[in-house]
């Protein structure tokens, strides 16, 4: 059977047709104008078409009913772990992202609980405090790119809340190392190509990547050992502590290697994605809807709608990916075994039959009710749906509210062009880094910190919790 499957390998000639652009130009467009390439594919070929991307051909699916079939199809046939294989150098072979079948389900049951329920609320205060710390350093009254600062905030949140690193010096070391592992600019996504993983000398990207990874791994293993040895482990709320105490149905815990891979997974999956969503939220608010920005300040329901609409219009991950372990039929196309199939979040979110004026930024559309499951899927779907979806939404709300409480935020130049979509490592982000101008509001940031820390249901501030440890 396996030999038979290998004979029907996916080749471009047997796949559905794609946009009328040569493969090399498709690869370039995927990096510099990904949204234009996806739109062109659908305009020219309909809801199922093939793109030629750096990692090979991929069949894009942009019809909600077909996307539902893919997300709810047999996970032994439509495998996500195999589709995510290129991420292995960063996340490691034991990552949830890379597993399939029963091993994936077992791991997911261990990883999911810390991300749900009331427990999440305990992270809100840390999120607000870390945002305030960052925004105190932003320039005032002159244009600057917000995105790097937002990335620093989402990274600091992972380091404190997920890794549970409380010591300032260790947290700073980790925060300095991560950008070397997932660096700025386009070449980091190229490192995902096996052919480029070559040691070409001390300054070569691959050698630098390996050095950064070794340093990050050493810090993570130290942190795991410190947590294990902590007599107060049961009282700790950070996600590493909860994962250390998790047991599967046979009573088995995660090993240190599995914990390391899961921490890197949460970092990779949760840091740039959330930063990109935040960058888009500010960009869309200042350029398209300054009135909505004012309303979001005073109205929490509206703030949530801003986050939901941002994730619709500019989903940080434009596609989810599955790999067919057997031949599968999608929308009348017989796809050979080995085909990569991509439910296209971006194109679904821009369908005119699902949304009025789908290209417009209108938070109001989400004020009346929840989005339909297969019309709004920024977090993917089925048994692979994003583990951190509720965490990310809490983070979006908290960071947006904290910034808007403390600062007036506006576009850098009246009438300037809104930002375009550009690839940044694994996510899509605003091409100029979400440029804005900010000014301190009359209430000082310190006063806002106090307000945030005393908000009903908030946990004690992070520094107080870690004092003396
Ligand atoms: C706005 C922010 C985020 C977006 C847009 C996002 C989006 C996604 C998407 C599209 C997937 C793939 C789903 C699929 O294949 O069907 C995914 C998976 C995942 N996400 Fe997120 N994510 C975000 C934030 C986070 C955060 C904050 C974390 C954790 C700290 C996280 C952890 C994960 C994990 C572990 C998976 C793999 C799930 C599995 O394979 O079973 N994500 N995310």
């Amino acid at each position: 059977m396996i030999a038979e499957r290998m004979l029907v390998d996916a080749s471009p000639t047997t796949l559905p047709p794609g946009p009328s652009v040569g493969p090399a130009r498709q690869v370039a467009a995927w990096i510099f104008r990904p949204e234009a390439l996806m739109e062109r594919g659908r305009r020219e070929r309909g809801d199922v078409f093939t793109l030629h991307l750096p990692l090979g051909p991929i069949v894009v699916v942009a019809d909600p009913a077909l996307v539902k079939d893919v997300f709810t199809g047999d996970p032994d046939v439509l495998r996500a772990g195999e589709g995510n294989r290129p991420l292995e150098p960063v996340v490691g072979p034991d990552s949830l992202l890379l597993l399939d079948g029963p091993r994936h389900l077992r791991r997911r049951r261990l990883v999911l609980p810390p991300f749900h329920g009331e427990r999440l609320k305990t992270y809100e205060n840390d999120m607000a405090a870390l945002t305030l710390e960052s925004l105190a350093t932003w320039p005032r009254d002159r244009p600057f790119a917000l995105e790097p600062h937002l990335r620093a905030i989402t990274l600091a949140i992972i380091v404190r809340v997920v890794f549970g690193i409380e010591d300032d010096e260790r947290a700073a070391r980790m925060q300095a190392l991560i950008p070397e592992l997932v660096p700025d600019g386009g070449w980091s996504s190229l490192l995902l190509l096996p052919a480029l993983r070559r040691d070409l000398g001390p300054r070569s990207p691959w050698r630098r990547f390996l050095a950064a990874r070794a340093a990050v791994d050493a810090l993570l293993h130290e942190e795991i050992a410190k947590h294990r040895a902590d007599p107060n482990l049961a009282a700790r709320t950070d996600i590493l502590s909860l994962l250390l105490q998790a047991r599967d149905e046979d009573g088995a815990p995660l090993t240190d290697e599995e914990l390391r891979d899961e921490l890197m997974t949460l970092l990779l999956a949760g840091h740039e994605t959330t930063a990109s969503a935040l960058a888009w939220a500010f960009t869309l608010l200042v350029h398209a809807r300054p009135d909505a920005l004012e309303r979001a300040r005073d109205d929490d329901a509206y703030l949530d709608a801003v986050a939901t609409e941002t994730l619709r219009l500019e989903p940080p991950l434009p596609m989810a990916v599955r790999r067919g372990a057997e031949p599968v039929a999608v929308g009348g196309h017989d796809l050979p075994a080995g085909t990569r199939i991509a439910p296209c979040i971006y194109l679904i979110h821009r369908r005119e039959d699902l949304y009025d004026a789908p290209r417009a930024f209108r938070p109001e559309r989400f004020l009346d009710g929840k989005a339909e499951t297969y019309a709004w899927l920024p977090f993917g779907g089925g048994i692979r749906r994003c583990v951190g979806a509720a965490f990310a939404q809490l983070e979006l709300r908290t960071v947006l509210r904290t910034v808007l409480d403390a600062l007036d935020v506006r576009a850098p130049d009246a009438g300037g062009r809104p930002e375009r979509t550009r690839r940044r490592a694994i996510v899509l982000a605003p091409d100029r880094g979400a440029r804005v101008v900010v000014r301190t509001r009359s209430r000082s940031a310190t006063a806002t910190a106090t307000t945030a820390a005393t908000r009903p249901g908030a946990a004690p501030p992070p520094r107080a919790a870690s004092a003396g440890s």
Side-chain angles (χ1 to χ4, degrees):
M1 184 66 179
I2 290 172
E4 212 176 275
R5 278 186 200 150
M6 285 169 70
L7 287 176
V8 258
D9 198 14
S11 94
T13 51
T14 58
L15 299 177
S20 54
V21 189
R25 279 185 57 204
Q26 288 192 35
V27 169
W30 185 240
I31 293 170
F32 298 109
R33 294 297 305 280
E35 80 290 19
L37 183 66
M38 291 184 281
E39 306 260 13
R40 182 167 180 163
R42 181 165 65 188
R43 201 169 53 244
E44 292 181 357
R45 303 297 187 180
D47 286 331
V48 182
F49 58 88
T50 303
L51 286 182
H52 293 276
L53 301 186
L55 293 171
I58 192 159
V59 174
V60 177
V61 182
D63 172 89
L66 298 178
V67 164
K68 182 177 180 191
D69 289 348
V70 175
F71 277 147
T72 56
D74 182 350
D76 284 337
V77 176
L78 292 159
R79 299 190 184 179
E82 286 184 17
N84 290 330
R85 190 61 53 194
L87 302 174
E88 184 175 335
V90 181
V91 296
D94 271 321
S95 158
L96 177 72
L97 275 167
L98 265 56
L99 301 178
D100 279 306
R103 282 191 72 207
H104 170 257
L105 276 185
R106 171 186 169 270
R107 182 66 58 80
R108 213 176 139 93
R109 277 200 284 268
L110 288 174
V111 174
L112 213 47
F115 288 95
H116 276 277
E118 278 305 299
R119 180 170 274 159
L120 271 187
K121 289 290 281 175
T122 62
Y123 304 138
E124 186 175 351
N125 234 49
D126 283 5
M127 292 173 173
L130 291 166
T131 307
L132 283 168
E133 226 171 75
S134 172
L135 69 79
T137 68
W138 301 355
R140 302 297 195 262
D141 296 311
R142 66 174 172 79
F144 71 104
L146 197 50
E147 205 248 338
H149 298 278
L150 297 169
R151 224 181 315 131
I153 293 174
T154 60
L155 176 56
I157 288 174
I158 298 270
V159 166
R160 299 271 176 183
V161 172
V162 177
F163 297 177
I165 302 184
E166 291 171 342
D167 177 84
D168 282 346
E169 190 268 326
R170 292 173 65 77
R173 249 164 60 208
M174 181 63 95
Q175 279 159 236
L177 279 168
I178 298 298
E180 296 193 32
L181 205 59
V182 195
D184 236 340
W187 69 263
S188 57
S189 34
L190 291 180
L191 268 190
L192 301 176
L193 288 173
L196 295 182
R197 295 179 200 153
R198 293 236 183 96
D199 189 345
L200 300 172
R203 299 206 54 75
S204 68
W206 185 239
R207 177 83 73 91
R208 276 166 35 212
F209 170 84
L210 292 179
R213 188 177 67 182
V216 168
D217 283 0
L219 265 178
L220 284 179
H221 280 296
E222 278 169 37
E223 208 55 45
I224 293 170
K226 256 177 84 179
H227 275 65
R228 265 198 206 290
D230 186 345
N232 292 325
L233 179 66
R236 295 181 63 115
T237 55
D238 59 87
I239 287 181
L240 171 55
S241 296
L242 300 171
L243 291 178
L244 268 164
Q245 297 169 78
R247 297 288 178 273
D248 69 9
E249 48 271 40
D250 304 323
L254 290 161
T255 65
D256 281 7
E257 280 311 314
E258 288 170 339
L259 282 165
R260 177 268 170 213
D261 287 1
E262 256 10 303
L263 292 178
M264 282 313 293
T265 299
L266 297 171
L267 170 85
L268 188 78
H271 145 233
E272 305 229 9
T273 43
T274 315
S276 154
L278 284 166
W280 277 119
F282 284 109
T283 300
L284 291 165
L285 283 169
V286 298
H287 282 284
R289 293 288 304 275
D291 62 308
L293 188 148
E294 290 307 322
R295 187 169 170 192
R297 213 169 241 147
D298 308 319
D299 177 347
D300 273 358
Y302 195 78
L303 186 73
D304 282 348
V306 165
T308 308
E309 174 68 342
T310 301
L311 290 169
R312 179 195 71 83
L313 193 58
E314 298 292 352
L317 295 177
M319 298 177 179
V321 181
R322 304 288 184 265
R323 189 167 181 276
E326 293 173 6
V328 280
V330 176
H333 299 273
D334 291 325
L335 307 178
T339 305
R340 291 192 307 144
I341 303 164
C344 191
I345 298 166
Y346 179 93
L347 288 177
I348 295 273
H349 286 182
R350 287 174 176 241
R351 285 183 72 101
E352 297 195 344
D353 55 351
L354 297 177
Y355 295 100
D356 289 338
R359 283 154 200 278
F361 177 65
R362 286 189 188 162
E364 295 73 17
R365 67 171 98 237
F366 289 115
L367 275 179
D368 297 341
K370 277 180 59 182
E372 297 271 334
T373 309
Y374 290 97
W376 187 82
L377 351 111
F379 297 108
I383 59 155
R384 307 299 299 222
R385 187 172 186 271
C386 176
V387 163
F391 185 98
Q393 284 166 292
L394 175 71
E395 194 174 344
L396 294 183
R397 200 182 307 138
T398 307
V399 177
L400 282 170
R401 189 172 51 206
T402 308
V403 173
L404 294 180
D405 268 356
L407 301 175
D408 282 321
V409 187
R410 62 176 173 82
D413 42 356
R417 84 159 163 83
E419 302 203 23
R420 292 202 192 102
T421 311
R422 182 182 73 105
R423 177 162 294 281
R424 251 205 107 260
I426 57 167
V427 298
L428 301 187
D431 69 338
R432 291 186 295 187
R435 286 175 70 73
V436 294
V437 175
V438 304
R439 168 172 290 186
T440 307
R441 295 184 78 212
S442 48
R443 263 185 316 151
S444 74
T446 328
T448 318
T450 316
T451 318
T454 52
R455 198 167 261 134
R463 299 309 141 127
S466 61
S469 61

